[in-house]
Amino acid sequence: MRVDIPIAPSAIARSRETYRKVIDHYRPDLAFYQSTYRDLHRHPELSLQEKRTSSIAASHLKDIGYSVHENIGGYGLIGVLRNNHGPTVLLRADMDALPVLENTGLDYASKERSKDSDGKDVPVMHACGHDAHVTCLMAAANLLYAARAKWRGTLICLFQPAEEKVSGAQAMVDDGLYSRFDVPKPDVVLGQHVFCIHKAGVVALTSGPVMAAVDGLRIRVFGKGGHGSMPSLSIDPIVIASHIVVRLQTIVSRELEPGKVGVVTCGKFQAGTASNIIPDYADLELTIRSYDTKVQKQLLDAIDRIVRSECDASRSPQAPLIESLGSAPATVNSADQTELLNKSFLSFFEGNAHAMVPLPGSEDFSILARAINVPCVFWMLGGCDPVKWDEAKQNGKIGDIPMNHSAEFAPVIEPTLRTGVDALALAALTFLGR
């Protein structure tokens, strides 16, 4: 559902130079934020453990002059700035890191380890740029507070936990994000994500679907354990699970209508304890991606059918367990609001404002807008060193650049941070009244 929001005519009419003058004049000294970024990168926190990061963001907002509400849906928080009557804009950043052993060689590389949700000791790394998201929003909050004479309305700066679990946005909504606090509901929800598929200094935006829906499944198939030398007396769950993995690959290639987009990936397969023991069960974990709700249902129904049929065909002693690991809808940029913001981006960033190609990656960002039926806009922020990106482009090796979730993922600090700060501030100014 698209909701038209009230936009002041003067906001639409503002020239590139007006935006540039405001942002250039009120942009804070980024040296502090560069240091903050290094600190956040050096001390990442897993999903649902973002206590330190949340505290840093909250303290910063309080020091600036925002009204801050903490511990929403975990370590989530919002900073609210009321500035006369006008639209309400929400800017969002996610905070959590990943269980990845960093291999960037940076002098501020993470050496952190933590216990994951299963109690396993794991390395921790900001391998998806959430440290940059937090830093950019902190700086943008400062800029917009200093520039409050140039806009009217209410600004909400939201720092979200557990995006990597695609659960943090819903957790904040369920914990009363839009009902517990005396804060107006936003007219538009805005956010960004750093990707090294673009060079630093670039922003990329388009309307419609920009990131896929995601569904995660955990599957346990059962067999009958026994001695590896006597498989005829057992029912091997590894064989059952292997057939399932192979059969799943036919869903997209043989069942999905040509032209429709879907991804079914088995990223985890665990079974057994020794080479000569047939185990009692095998575990699979899947990620499923789609842009269309009908395709999403088709993929999930096919997975359920294949898993159950393979178990029946192999005489599995009991029905498989199929458990959801979470889901998030596709991120769909609202047409009117995207068009308006794109005009601002094209004017301000000029040749560094690009059209965004939809990505099969997923986000729970849009839940913050869907929960209250308001439009949202999400854009990409380039992070790759421009010199390295140009070299890779020239040599046809863009695919060799370490991307998100890689142990070598290392966005260059500048101009990534400055571009991210400017983009957030520009987006807020585009929609706030004057």
Side-chain angles (χ1 to χ4, degrees):
M1 174 180 179
R2 190 181 79 228
V3 177
D4 294 323
I5 70 173
I7 302 297
S10 59
I12 298 175
R14 284 181 195 154
S15 68
R16 175 188 71 190
E17 290 307 314
T18 300
Y19 285 131
R20 190 175 303 283
K21 286 178 181 177
V22 170
I23 291 173
D24 285 346
H25 181 74
Y26 292 102
R27 184 189 302 111
D29 182 358
L30 294 183
F32 168 79
Y33 296 98
Q34 293 162 5
S35 177
T36 298
Y37 170 78
R38 292 186 182 92
D39 177 72
L40 292 173
H41 189 87
R42 189 178 287 116
H43 301 289
E45 295 169 299
L46 293 175
S47 302
L48 306 176
Q49 300 178 24
E50 310 93 340
K51 182 176 181 179
R52 181 179 184 273
T53 305
S54 177
S55 176
I56 289 171
S59 296
H60 185 68
L61 293 176
K62 291 174 184 176
D63 290 344
I64 294 170
Y66 283 72
S67 173
V68 177
H69 305 279
E70 300 177 71
N71 300 315
I72 309 170
Y75 289 111
L77 70 116
I78 55 173
V80 182
L81 179 58
R82 298 177 183 271
N83 190 31
N84 296 315
H85 297 292
T88 298
V89 169
L90 187 152
L91 300 178
R92 174 266 202 176
D94 41 12
M95 300 185 289
D96 53 331
L98 288 160
V100 173
L101 180 62
E102 182 160 355
N103 187 33
T104 61
L106 296 169
D107 59 4
Y108 52 91
S110 168
K111 294 181 174 60
E112 295 288 332
R113 301 190 68 86
S114 185
K115 300 286 187 183
D116 66 10
S117 58
D118 296 324
K120 182 181 178 182
D121 181 73
V122 296
V124 189
M125 174 190 173
H126 267 301
C128 203
H130 297 188
D131 44 356
H133 303 167
V134 171
T135 306
C136 288
L137 184 51
M138 288 171 59
N142 194 348
L143 189 159
L144 290 164
Y145 182 89
R148 60 195 182 280
K150 304 297 181 181
W151 58 270
R152 298 168 64 93
T154 299
L155 175 65
I156 302 172
C157 295
L158 182 148
F159 293 82
Q160 181 201 306
E163 184 279 329
E164 295 294 352
K165 297 284 189 182
V166 292
S167 64
Q170 191 64 55
M172 292 187 74
V173 171
D174 292 344
D175 198 24
L177 171 64
Y178 296 126
S179 60
R180 266 209 296 145
F181 312 102
D182 183 23
V183 177
K185 294 179 181 177
D187 295 300
V188 65
V189 177
L190 306 170
Q192 64 184 4
H193 202 301
V194 63
F195 275 92
C196 283
I197 196 170
H198 297 288
K199 70 171 72 175
V202 165
V203 293
L205 174 64
T206 195
S207 63
V210 292
M211 298 192 79
V214 59
D215 293 275
L217 295 178
R218 178 184 289 126
I219 299 168
R220 174 164 287 184
V221 298
F222 296 93
K224 178 185 175 184
H227 200 290
S229 68
M230 296 178 284
S232 61
L233 301 179
S234 304
I235 297 175
D236 195 336
I238 295 177
V239 174
I240 299 173
S242 297
H243 278 294
I244 289 171
V245 171
V246 172
R247 182 76 178 184
L248 290 177
Q249 309 313 306
T250 68
I251 298 174
V252 174
S253 66
R254 290 295 178 268
E255 299 189 29
L256 208 58
E257 179 183 335
K260 298 294 186 181
V261 178
V263 176
V264 179
T265 295
C266 177
K268 186 175 180 180
F269 188 146
Q270 290 186 337
T273 57
S275 63
N276 62 347
I277 300 173
I278 293 173
D280 289 314
Y281 61 85
D283 292 327
L284 305 174
E285 290 190 9
L286 312 181
T287 187
I288 302 99
R289 308 297 170 113
S290 57
Y291 293 107
D292 179 274
T293 54
K294 291 182 179 179
V295 170
Q296 182 182 30
K297 183 178 186 304
Q298 182 181 358
L299 295 176
L300 292 172
D301 287 348
I303 291 167
D304 187 85
R305 184 193 76 239
I306 287 171
V307 170
R308 296 185 188 281
S309 297
E310 290 291 351
C311 288
D312 287 343
S314 299
R315 301 177 296 115
S316 180
Q318 67 183 87
L321 297 178
I322 304 176
E323 173 191 2
S324 173
L325 294 174
S327 65
T331 301
V332 181
N333 281 347
S334 307
D336 291 346
Q337 289 71 29
T338 301
E339 181 181 3
L340 185 61
L341 183 55
N342 197 43
K343 290 178 180 177
S344 293
F345 278 3
L346 287 169
S347 290
F348 188 92
F349 294 109
E350 299 177 325
N352 282 323
H354 295 182
M356 178 183 170
V357 176
L359 299 172
S362 303
E363 259 278 356
D364 63 354
F365 160 81
S366 66
I367 290 173
L368 299 171
R370 288 172 180 257
I372 51 174
N373 293 318
V374 301
C376 65
V377 185
F378 195 69
W379 62 91
M380 295 297 108
L381 174 67
C384 183
D385 182 305
V387 174
K388 292 181 180 179
W389 194 93
D390 288 340
E391 290 177 352
K393 177 73 171 178
Q394 183 177 355
N395 296 322
K397 294 186 176 181
I398 292 294
D400 291 346
I401 296 172
M403 296 294 174
N404 301 59
H405 290 214
S406 163
E408 298 177 358
F409 179 73
V412 64
I413 294 179
E414 292 297 357
T416 304
L417 293 186
R418 175 170 171 150
T419 305
V421 173
D422 289 358
L424 288 171
L426 177 61
L429 291 170
T430 297
F431 292 101
L432 288 167
R434 174 78 180 272

